[in-house]
Amino acid sequence: MAKAASSLTFSTSLPKLCRPFSISITQPPQVSLNSKKLSCSISSAFKISRRTVTTTKASSMASSGITTVDQNNRKVVEVFVTEEELAVSLAKYTADLSDKFAKERGSFTVVVSGGSLIKSLRKLVEAPYVDSIDWSKWHVFWVDERVVPKDHPDSNYKLAFDGFLSKVPIPSGNVYAINDALSAEGAADDYETCLKHLVHTGVINKSSVSGFPKFDLMLVGMGPDGHVASLFPGHPLLKENQKWVTHITDSPKPPPGRITFTFPVINSSSYIALVVCGAGKASVVQTALRKSQNSDVFPVQMVSPEGELKWFLDKDAASKL
Ligand SMILES: O=C1O[C@H](COP(=O)(O)O)[C@@H](O)[C@H](O)[C@H]1O
């Protein structure tokens, strides 16, 4: 089991957002519960094909297993009737990528956020994945962290350790927590120094496109205000395009002192899973997925990786699509 964390000690212009979509539904529904038929229609910014799906609830897009993809298979939106089904699918998605990267490059670099995401990872610590995943290949990082002691209730490390990391045999030296003895600025610099070392030693890939570290998978949540990592709406840090890791001392969501990956790092990823549940986030999801212009209102709209972006939504989060 993963024990204590190692203490870390780690431009592109911001990308054009909201690539135009031509969406088609590519997968059959994964479940059929009470066999009500509904015609799935998603329109506006997306050119969406229509077809009949089987689901429990006749409301817009909220049908388990409905998947939409863009033309290049680089942006995928999947909606699940329940958070439980979302968690099952997220575990398989993560396990498949773990296998792929472990085989291809002998390691798997995984970045997690805090918040509700961690609960949605719970199926990974159950059969079959807890036994089938080669956890020794995992290297775990945080896309953002609150600058508090690791045993503090606000710590994203503690959240992940209690809910996930303590239950799987990831080598403790592969778990890269912040140095919580430092200031927010010091902890961000320290984390960036650590990342640079790991890029240098080949544990983390480097993007040949951006020159920023290229993580294999980022598992990221979104706040009700559309923030991702600790990148909040309207904050100057959204424009940071030099640093890999930066800090914030005036976070609108407590606690105020945090470190966060910058957008160039986030957007250099091979895969990003954006995991969003709950009706309280439906309006932001609607804006993010229906807007065709690149006038970014919410930070989540700035998530646009070199690789694949997949949205995992429950039906409540997707209820306004
Ligand atoms: O403060 C934070 O909030 C976001 C979103 O959290 P959620 O509970 O609404 O999912 C989280 O992704 C981030 O890591 C965390 O520091």
Side-chain angles (χ1 to χ4, degrees), residues 113-116 144 146 156 221-224 227 229-230 253 258 281:
S113 70
S116 53
D144 73 317
R146 292 91 176 269
N156 283 345
M222 181 196 86
H227 83 268
S230 284
K253 177 178 175 181
R258 293 152 173 253
K281 298 176 179 176

Side-chain angles (χ1 to χ4, degrees), residues 84-114:
E84 178 77 5
E85 287 167 15
L86 180 153
V88 169
S89 180
L90 184 63
K92 181 173 183 333
Y93 178 82
T94 305
D96 288 349
L97 288 176
S98 174
D99 283 354
K100 167 185 157 66
F101 284 104
K103 281 189 192 113
E104 280 177 14
R105 51 187 300 267
S107 61
F108 182 43
T109 53
V110 183
V111 179
V112 295
S113 70

Side-chain angles (χ1 to χ4, degrees), residues 166-180:
S166 60
K167 300 171 184 179
V168 293
I170 299 172
S172 58
N174 292 0
V175 176
Y176 303 91
I178 66 163
N179 184 341
D180 59 10

Side-chain angles (χ1 to χ4, degrees), residues 18-289:
C18 302
R19 281 185 284 262
F21 277 60
S22 174
I23 302 278
S24 59
I25 296 170
T26 57
Q27 290 181 356
Q30 295 171 338
V31 295
S32 68
L33 298 171
N34 69 0
S35 296
K36 279 185 189 167
K37 300 268 184 173
L38 93 132
S39 177
C40 175
S41 162
I42 316 163
S43 56
S44 75
F46 309 107
K47 292 178 192 158
I48 304 285
S49 66
R50 286 169 171 264
R51 68 163 202 185
T52 301
V53 297
T54 304
T55 186
T56 52
K57 188 170 178 242
S59 71
S60 68
M61 184 184 175
S63 307
S64 183
I66 287 182
T67 304
T68 63
V69 298
D70 74 356
Q71 280 167 326
N72 304 315
N73 275 3
R74 292 179 64 189
K75 187 162 177 178
V76 179
V77 181
E78 191 156 7
V79 182
F80 300 88
V81 167
T82 65
E83 191 277 338
E84 178 77 5
E85 287 167 15
L86 180 153
V88 169
S89 180
L90 184 63
K92 181 173 183 333
Y93 178 82
T94 305
D96 288 349
L97 288 176
S98 174
D99 283 354
K100 167 185 157 66
F101 284 104
K103 281 189 192 113
E104 280 177 14
R105 51 187 300 267
S107 61
F108 182 43
T109 53
V110 183
V111 179
V112 295
S113 70
S116 53
L117 178 272
I118 297 300
K119 186 172 162 238
S120 294
L121 295 179
R122 65 190 178 281
K123 300 293 177 187
L124 277 173
V125 302
E126 297 176 7
Y129 304 115
V130 70
D131 298 318
S132 62
I133 286 175
D134 185 352
W135 298 102
S136 71
K137 299 292 193 295
W138 279 49
H139 292 259
V140 179
F141 305 84
W142 276 264
V143 73
D144 73 317
E145 178 58 288
R146 292 91 176 269
V147 183
V148 293
K150 288 186 190 64
D151 58 357
H152 191 282
D154 284 340
S155 164
N156 283 345
Y157 167 79
K158 177 175 165 48
L159 184 71
F161 185 82
D162 292 349
F164 175 43
L165 298 174
S166 60
K167 300 171 184 179
V168 293
I170 299 172
S172 58
N174 292 0
V175 176
Y176 303 91
I178 66 163
N179 184 341
D180 59 10
L182 300 174
S183 65
E185 183 175 13
D189 289 348
D190 186 52
Y191 214 73
E192 182 166 315
T193 301
C194 175
L195 294 190
K196 285 188 169 148
H197 172 72
L198 293 169
V199 167
H200 185 69
T201 55
V203 172
I204 302 172
N205 272 342
K206 185 173 180 176
S207 165
S208 57
V209 178
S210 69
F212 284 90
K214 186 177 184 73
F215 289 93
D216 299 331
L217 172 63
M218 289 200 184
L219 296 158
V220 182
M222 181 196 86
D225 59 355
H227 83 268
V228 288
S230 284
L231 297 162
F232 290 91
H235 199 280
L237 287 186
L238 299 181
K239 296 197 175 91
E240 174 59 56
N241 63 8
Q242 299 296 320
K243 290 183 175 174
W244 295 11
V245 184
T246 190
H247 73 287
I248 178 170
T249 53
D250 58 353
S251 166
K253 177 178 175 181
R258 293 152 173 253
I259 73 159
T260 182
F261 282 10
T262 59
F263 269 118
V265 174
I266 292 170
N267 286 336
S268 294
S269 302
S270 293
Y271 291 85
I272 297 181
L274 253 173
V275 181
V276 184
C277 295
K281 298 176 179 176
S283 293
V284 176
V285 168
Q286 180 189 33
T287 301
L289 290 178

